[in-house]
Amino acid sequence: MGRGARCVAVMVAAPLCACARPGPAEVRPVVVQLPAASASASDLAEERAEGGEISLPPRLDVPTAAACVLEGPFQPRGEAALLRLHEGGPAFAELRGGVDVRVHLPAGRPAGVAVEVNAGGLSLRGHAHLAAIPVRPARPLAFHGFAVPLGSALLDLHEATQGGELTVTWPGAPGVMPVSGPVSERLRCDDVTVGELEIDAVRAAGALDGEREAFLRLGREIPLSVEPGGPVVAALRARNDEDAAVTVVGTRGARVRVLWWREEALVVGWVPGVELRWSAPFSSVIGDASGTGLLGLLGTAGGERRVCEVDVPLVAQVGEQRATVGVVRAGTRIEVLGRRAGYTRVAVAAGGVWIQEGAQILARTSDLARCVRAGG
């Protein structure tokens, strides 16, 4: 540790700062090494008087034209999605969920996308790998007429057209074997979302002629068709008695129409009646099994605090690479951590946004000189 430096123990939940981050459900003391002299009010005024403002690095812009723009409350694939300084470049932040985003999809089969983030007092931009962006249904959609993905289901995005159409694939469900292989559909941009919505999957099934419980016969592949007597679109195979439960919602001759709930989809179609084991009628309410969940963590880094009357540009630095990635909005509290060569290292409390390890978030010291000191 350098001469004059000091360590403090702070309680951290999820700051946008350059310290080690705990797990999302963990709060523990973290030792943060501060510079020997953090930026005081006199330091900031001195910097402003020394030589005027330094130039900001290039701004990270989003494309002026996109084939499709997906927006909504973000729910990542897995734990987080990484925001990068440029396509294929180093990551400076993680998106954990609970923030509003706009994802700009270029036409064709893109590897990366531009992302705008609105996280309370923060407005950020960055690039992300397409594989990290969740694509989920925004309304009931019957893929190939028999599979209705729920709000939690992740779809695979393959291509976007300049006309605002997407080619997506439903990845399937246990026990459901489509006869034509991967189940793909051509959708409009507003058919999908980057969030997780509640989907009334039964609505896609149309009119229901009663409800009765039954069970798929075990040990066999049962043919499923969209229309009674129509071509087979998939084979169904249940694992056990619990897994085999279906709801019969129609009968036509020797065929019965069933609803079969999978973890992230509702399968609907006609099967031969002889392939079912029957039980007594029952009364139930058919509902959607999807759910929603938001993660929004707040934290503070424990430094001097400032509030500005205007938006303050933010610069992300990873190694020697820098880019202007957004702003702290006017009236948002900024934590001042340390001053260096015209810039001040800062932190901003932001739900769902974490600084990536090895990255720093900076503001021009001259911009902060215009701001007032805030209380604890």
Coordinates of all heavy atoms in Angstrom, one line a residue, residues 87-140:
E87 N -17.8 -3.2 -29.7 CA -18.2 -4.6 -30.0 C -16.9 -5.5 -29.9 O -15.9 -5.2 -30.6 CB -18.8 -4.6 -31.4 CG -19.3 -6.0 -31.8 CD -20.1 -6.0 -33.1 OE1 -20.4 -4.9 -33.6 OE2 -20.3 -7.1 -33.7
G88 N -17.0 -6.5 -29.1 CA -15.9 -7.4 -28.9 C -14.9 -6.9 -27.9 O -13.9 -7.6 -27.7
G89 N -15.1 -5.7 -27.4 CA -14.1 -5.1 -26.5 C -14.3 -5.5 -25.0 O -15.1 -6.3 -24.7
P90 N -13.5 -4.9 -24.2 CA -13.5 -5.2 -22.7 C -14.8 -4.8 -22.1 O -15.4 -3.8 -22.5 CB -12.3 -4.5 -22.2 CG -12.1 -3.3 -23.1 CD -12.5 -3.8 -24.4
A91 N -15.3 -5.5 -21.1 CA -16.5 -5.2 -20.4 C -16.2 -4.2 -19.2 O -15.2 -4.3 -18.6 CB -17.1 -6.5 -19.8
F92 N -17.2 -3.2 -19.0 CA -17.0 -2.3 -18.0 C -18.1 -2.4 -16.9 O -18.0 -1.9 -15.8 CB -16.9 -0.8 -18.5 CG -18.2 -0.3 -19.1 CD1 -19.1 0.3 -18.4 CD2 -18.4 -0.5 -20.5 CE1 -20.3 0.8 -19.0 CE2 -19.6 0.0 -21.1 CZ -20.5 0.6 -20.3
A93 N -19.2 -3.1 -17.3 CA -20.3 -3.2 -16.3 C -21.1 -4.4 -16.6 O -21.1 -5.0 -17.6 CB -21.3 -1.9 -16.4
E94 N -21.9 -4.8 -15.5 CA -22.8 -6.0 -15.6 C -24.2 -5.5 -15.4 O -24.5 -4.6 -14.6 CB -22.5 -7.0 -14.5 CG -21.1 -7.6 -14.6 CD -20.9 -8.6 -13.5 OE1 -21.8 -8.8 -12.7 OE2 -19.8 -9.1 -13.4
L95 N -25.1 -6.1 -16.2 CA -26.6 -5.8 -16.1 C -27.2 -7.0 -15.4 O -27.2 -8.1 -15.9 CB -27.2 -5.5 -17.4 CG -26.8 -4.3 -18.2 CD1 -27.6 -4.2 -19.5 CD2 -26.8 -3.1 -17.4
R96 N -27.7 -6.8 -14.1 CA -28.2 -7.9 -13.4 C -29.7 -8.1 -13.5 O -30.3 -9.1 -13.2 CB -27.9 -7.7 -11.9 CG -26.4 -7.9 -11.6 CD -26.0 -9.4 -11.5 NE -24.7 -9.5 -11.0 CZ -24.4 -9.9 -9.8 NH1 -25.3 -10.0 -8.8 NH2 -23.1 -10.1 -9.4
G97 N -30.4 -7.0 -13.9 CA -31.9 -7.1 -14.0 C -32.5 -6.0 -13.3 O -31.9 -5.4 -12.4
G98 N -33.8 -5.7 -13.6 CA -34.5 -4.6 -12.9 C -34.2 -3.3 -13.5 O -34.6 -2.3 -12.9
V99 N -33.5 -3.2 -14.6 CA -33.3 -1.9 -15.2 C -34.0 -1.9 -16.6 O -34.2 -2.9 -17.2 CB -31.8 -1.6 -15.4 CG1 -31.1 -1.5 -14.1 CG2 -31.1 -2.7 -16.3
D100 N -34.3 -0.7 -17.0 CA -35.0 -0.5 -18.3 C -33.9 -0.4 -19.4 O -32.9 0.3 -19.3 CB -35.9 0.7 -18.4 CG -37.1 0.5 -17.5 OD1 -37.6 -0.6 -17.4 OD2 -37.5 1.5 -16.9
V101 N -34.1 -1.2 -20.5 CA -33.1 -1.2 -21.6 C -33.8 -1.0 -22.9 O -35.0 -1.3 -23.1 CB -32.2 -2.4 -21.6 CG1 -31.5 -2.6 -20.2 CG2 -33.0 -3.7 -21.9
R102 N -33.0 -0.6 -23.9 CA -33.3 -0.6 -25.3 C -32.2 -1.3 -26.0 O -31.1 -0.8 -26.0 CB -33.5 0.8 -25.8 CG -34.8 1.5 -25.3 CD -34.8 3.0 -25.7 NE -34.7 3.2 -27.1 CZ -35.7 3.2 -28.0 NH1 -36.9 3.0 -27.6 NH2 -35.4 3.5 -29.3
V103 N -32.5 -2.4 -26.7 CA -31.5 -3.2 -27.4 C -31.7 -2.9 -28.9 O -32.8 -3.2 -29.5 CB -31.7 -4.7 -27.1 CG1 -30.6 -5.5 -27.9 CG2 -31.5 -4.9 -25.6
H104 N -30.7 -2.4 -29.6 CA -30.7 -2.1 -31.0 C -30.2 -3.3 -31.8 O -28.9 -3.5 -31.8 CB -30.0 -0.8 -31.3 CG -30.5 0.4 -30.6 ND1 -31.3 1.3 -31.2 CD2 -30.4 0.8 -29.3 CE1 -31.6 2.3 -30.4 NE2 -31.1 1.9 -29.2
L105 N -31.0 -4.0 -32.6 CA -30.6 -5.1 -33.4 C -30.3 -4.7 -34.8 O -31.2 -4.1 -35.5 CB -31.7 -6.2 -33.4 CG -32.0 -6.9 -32.1 CD1 -33.2 -7.8 -32.3 CD2 -30.8 -7.7 -31.6
P106 N -29.1 -4.9 -35.3 CA -28.9 -4.6 -36.8 C -29.5 -5.7 -37.6 O -29.8 -6.8 -37.1 CB -27.4 -4.6 -36.9 CG -26.9 -5.5 -35.7 CD -27.9 -5.3 -34.6
A107 N -29.7 -5.4 -38.9 CA -30.2 -6.4 -39.8 C -29.2 -7.5 -40.0 O -28.0 -7.3 -39.9 CB -30.6 -5.7 -41.2
G108 N -29.7 -8.7 -40.4 CA -28.9 -9.8 -40.6 C -28.7 -10.7 -39.4 O -29.7 -10.9 -38.7
R109 N -27.6 -11.4 -39.3 CA -27.3 -12.3 -38.2 C -26.2 -11.7 -37.3 O -25.0 -12.0 -37.4 CB -26.9 -13.6 -38.8 CG -27.9 -14.3 -39.7 CD -27.4 -15.6 -40.3 NE -28.3 -16.2 -41.2 CZ -29.2 -17.1 -40.8 NH1 -29.1 -17.6 -39.6 NH2 -30.0 -17.7 -41.6
P110 N -26.6 -10.7 -36.5 CA -25.6 -10.0 -35.8 C -24.9 -10.8 -34.7 O -25.5 -11.7 -34.1 CB -26.4 -8.8 -35.2 CG -27.8 -9.4 -35.0 CD -28.0 -10.3 -36.2
A111 N -23.6 -10.5 -34.4 CA -22.9 -11.1 -33.3 C -23.1 -10.2 -32.0 O -23.1 -10.7 -30.9 CB -21.5 -11.3 -33.6
G112 N -23.2 -8.9 -32.3 CA -23.3 -8.0 -31.1 C -24.4 -7.0 -31.4 O -24.9 -6.8 -32.5
V113 N -24.8 -6.3 -30.3 CA -25.9 -5.3 -30.3 C -25.5 -4.1 -29.4 O -24.6 -4.2 -28.5 CB -27.2 -5.9 -29.8 CG1 -27.7 -7.0 -30.7 CG2 -27.1 -6.4 -28.4
A114 N -26.1 -3.0 -29.7 CA -25.9 -1.8 -28.9 C -27.1 -1.8 -27.9 O -28.2 -2.1 -28.2 CB -25.9 -0.5 -29.7
V115 N -26.7 -1.3 -26.6 CA -27.7 -1.4 -25.5 C -27.7 0.0 -24.9 O -26.7 0.6 -24.5 CB -27.3 -2.4 -24.5 CG1 -28.4 -2.5 -23.4 CG2 -27.2 -3.8 -25.2
E116 N -28.9 0.5 -24.6 CA -29.1 1.7 -23.8 C -29.7 1.3 -22.5 O -30.6 0.5 -22.5 CB -30.0 2.7 -24.5 CG -29.5 3.3 -25.8 CD -30.5 4.3 -26.4 OE1 -31.4 3.8 -27.1 OE2 -30.4 5.5 -26.2
V117 N -29.2 1.8 -21.4 CA -29.7 1.4 -20.1 C -30.2 2.6 -19.3 O -29.5 3.7 -19.3 CB -28.5 0.8 -19.3 CG1 -29.0 0.3 -17.9 CG2 -27.9 -0.4 -20.0
N118 N -31.3 2.5 -18.7 CA -31.9 3.5 -17.8 C -32.0 2.9 -16.4 O -32.8 2.1 -16.2 CB -33.2 4.0 -18.3 CG -33.9 5.0 -17.4 OD1 -33.3 5.5 -16.5 ND2 -35.1 5.4 -17.7
A119 N -31.1 3.3 -15.5 CA -31.0 2.8 -14.2 C -31.1 3.9 -13.1 O -30.1 4.3 -12.5 CB -29.7 2.0 -14.0
G120 N -32.3 4.4 -12.9 CA -32.5 5.4 -11.9 C -31.8 6.7 -12.4 O -32.1 7.3 -13.4
G121 N -30.8 7.1 -11.6 CA -30.1 8.3 -11.9 C -29.0 8.2 -13.0 O -28.2 9.1 -13.2
L122 N -28.9 7.0 -13.5 CA -27.8 6.7 -14.5 C -28.5 6.5 -15.9 O -29.5 5.8 -16.0 CB -27.1 5.4 -14.2 CG -25.9 5.5 -13.2 CD1 -25.3 4.1 -13.0 CD2 -24.9 6.5 -13.7
S123 N -27.8 7.0 -16.9 CA -28.1 6.6 -18.3 C -26.8 6.1 -18.9 O -25.8 6.9 -19.0 CB -28.6 7.8 -19.1 OG -28.8 7.6 -20.4
L124 N -26.8 4.9 -19.4 CA -25.6 4.2 -19.9 C -25.8 3.7 -21.3 O -26.9 3.4 -21.7 CB -25.1 3.1 -19.0 CG -24.7 3.4 -17.6 CD1 -24.3 2.1 -16.8 CD2 -23.5 4.4 -17.6
R125 N -24.7 3.5 -22.0 CA -24.7 2.9 -23.3 C -23.5 1.9 -23.3 O -22.5 2.1 -22.7 CB -24.5 3.9 -24.4 CG -25.7 4.8 -24.6 CD -25.5 5.8 -25.7 NE -26.7 6.6 -26.0 CZ -26.8 7.5 -26.9 NH1 -25.7 7.7 -27.7 NH2 -27.9 8.2 -27.1
G126 N -23.7 0.8 -24.1 CA -22.6 -0.2 -24.2 C -23.0 -1.1 -25.3 O -24.0 -1.1 -25.9
H127 N -22.0 -2.0 -25.6 CA -22.2 -3.1 -26.5 C -22.3 -4.4 -25.8 O -21.7 -4.6 -24.7 CB -21.1 -3.1 -27.5 CG -21.1 -2.0 -28.5 ND1 -21.8 -2.1 -29.7 CD2 -20.5 -0.8 -28.5 CE1 -21.6 -0.9 -30.3 NE2 -20.8 -0.2 -29.7
A128 N -23.1 -5.4 -26.3 CA -23.2 -6.7 -25.7 C -23.2 -7.7 -26.8 O -23.6 -7.5 -27.9 CB -24.5 -6.7 -24.9
H129 N -22.8 -8.9 -26.4 CA -22.9 -10.1 -27.3 C -24.4 -10.4 -27.5 O -25.1 -10.4 -26.5 CB -22.1 -11.3 -26.8 CG -20.7 -11.1 -26.8 ND1 -20.0 -10.4 -27.8 CD2 -19.7 -11.4 -25.8 CE1 -18.7 -10.4 -27.5 NE2 -18.5 -11.0 -26.3
L130 N -24.8 -10.7 -28.6 CA -26.2 -11.1 -28.9 C -26.6 -12.3 -28.0 O -27.7 -12.3 -27.5 CB -26.5 -11.4 -30.3 CG -27.9 -11.8 -30.7 CD1 -28.9 -10.7 -30.4 CD2 -28.0 -12.2 -32.2
A131 N -25.7 -13.2 -27.8 CA -26.0 -14.4 -27.0 C -26.3 -14.1 -25.6 O -26.9 -14.9 -24.9 CB -24.8 -15.4 -27.1
A132 N -25.9 -12.9 -25.1 CA -26.2 -12.5 -23.7 C -27.5 -11.8 -23.6 O -28.0 -11.5 -22.4 CB -25.1 -11.6 -23.2
I133 N -28.2 -11.5 -24.7 CA -29.4 -10.7 -24.6 C -30.6 -11.7 -24.6 O -30.8 -12.6 -25.5 CB -29.6 -9.8 -25.8 CG1 -28.4 -8.8 -25.9 CG2 -30.9 -9.1 -25.8 CD1 -28.3 -7.9 -24.6
P134 N -31.5 -11.6 -23.5 CA -32.6 -12.5 -23.5 C -33.7 -12.1 -24.5 O -33.9 -10.9 -24.7 CB -33.1 -12.3 -22.1 CG -32.7 -10.9 -21.7 CD -31.4 -10.6 -22.4
V135 N -34.3 -13.0 -25.2 CA -35.4 -12.8 -26.0 C -36.6 -13.7 -25.5 O -36.4 -14.9 -25.6 CB -35.1 -13.1 -27.5 CG1 -36.3 -12.9 -28.4 CG2 -34.0 -12.2 -28.0
R136 N -37.6 -13.1 -25.1 CA -38.8 -13.9 -24.5 C -40.1 -13.4 -25.2 O -40.1 -12.3 -25.7 CB -38.8 -13.7 -23.0 CG -37.6 -14.1 -22.2 CD -37.8 -14.0 -20.7 NE -36.8 -14.6 -20.0 CZ -35.7 -13.9 -19.5 NH1 -35.6 -12.6 -19.8 NH2 -34.8 -14.5 -18.8
P137 N -41.1 -14.2 -25.1 CA -42.4 -13.8 -25.7 C -43.0 -12.7 -25.0 O -43.0 -12.6 -23.8 CB -43.2 -15.1 -25.6 CG -42.6 -15.9 -24.5 CD -41.2 -15.6 -24.5
A138 N -43.6 -11.8 -25.8 CA -44.3 -10.7 -25.2 C -45.8 -10.9 -25.1 O -46.6 -10.1 -24.5 CB -44.0 -9.4 -26.0
R139 N -46.3 -12.0 -25.8 CA -47.7 -12.3 -25.8 C -47.8 -13.8 -26.1 O -46.9 -14.4 -26.5 CB -48.4 -11.4 -26.9 CG -48.0 -11.7 -28.3 CD -48.7 -10.8 -29.3 NE -48.3 -11.0 -30.7 CZ -48.8 -12.0 -31.4 NH1 -49.8 -12.8 -30.9 NH2 -48.4 -12.1 -32.7
P140 N -49.0 -14.4 -26.0 CA -49.2 -15.8 -26.4 C -48.9 -16.0 -27.8 O -49.5 -15.4 -28.7 CB -50.7 -16.1 -26.0 CG -51.1 -15.0 -25.1 CD -50.3 -13.8 -25.5

